[in-house]
Every structure is written in structure tokens, then in C-alpha cells.
Amino acid sequence: MQFARITTNPQKMGGVPCIRSLRIPVTTIFDMFADGMRDQEILQTFLDLEAEDIQEVLQYAATKFRVSLKAQRLKELVQQSVEEAMNGVLQKEKLTFSNL
């Protein structure tokens, strides 16, 4: 998914994702929302923001969360596969050593 309102620029805010290059980090808006502030309060706090900015922040956060969950699940599957393979090798080696 492409985000038209989320920008990153290494020359601004150290490359942190921001709203439309305004030096307002995505995480700031998301944290405000998570703390219970709603659209109108956030818009009153940051007069340069638009309602569409907040909507895109929430979509961006949801996308990042889904990607993180998928990566975590993939890591768990790889770890499980490696453990199963190692257990198979160890079991085979035990049988080989016991036959000596």
C-alpha cells in the first residue's frame, strides 16, 4: 500500500516517517490517538494537519503492525523448522553412536 501523506526524508527529522514533510512524526499522531485524543483534538493541536492525515497515520500503523506480525510468525516457523531438523540430526547421531 502506498501512503501519499507519509513522507520520509533523511534530511528532516533523521528520516523518521512524518506527515507531508511537516516535521510531525507519524508516531506522535498515533500516540496521541492511542492516548485517547480524537481527530478534532489532534487537528486543534496541529493546525497544519488535515483529517486525511490522521486516517493515513492509522492505516500506516495498521500496515506496519501486520507486517511485524507476519515477520514474527515467519521467524517462529523458521526457528521451529531448524529445531525439528536439529532434533532429527541429533536423534540420528545418537542412533549411530549407540551402534558403535
Side-chain angles (χ1 to χ4, degrees), residues 4-100:
R5 294 174 172 269
I6 308 294
T7 58
T8 56
N9 180 344
Q11 303 302 317
K12 286 187 179 180
M13 303 292 289
V16 169
C18 292
I19 308 295
R20 294 183 287 120
S21 298
L22 293 174
R23 295 184 187 268
I24 302 172
V26 168
T27 54
T28 298
I29 304 306
F30 186 73
D31 288 343
M32 293 170 81
F33 198 84
D35 286 341
M37 292 180 77
R38 292 300 172 245
D39 294 18
Q40 288 308 313
E41 292 175 283
I42 296 170
L43 292 172
Q44 288 171 358
T45 303
F46 293 102
L47 299 178
D48 291 332
L49 287 184
E50 299 170 358
E52 294 83 3
D53 296 327
I54 296 170
Q55 185 61 38
E56 191 156 307
V57 164
L58 296 176
Q59 290 171 340
Y60 181 83
T63 299
K64 292 296 182 185
F65 183 70
R66 278 191 298 275
V67 168
S68 178
L69 286 177
K70 287 178 184 176
Q72 180 62 33
R73 181 64 184 138
L74 179 60
K75 178 182 171 186
E76 290 168 1
L77 288 173
V78 168
Q79 185 176 2
Q80 180 182 359
S81 295
V82 168
E83 287 175 6
E84 288 172 1
M86 290 302 295
N87 285 336
V89 168
L90 291 174
Q91 186 63 31
K92 183 178 176 183
E93 291 299 318
K94 285 180 186 176
L95 291 175
T96 301
F97 289 134
S98 64
N99 291 332
L100 292 176

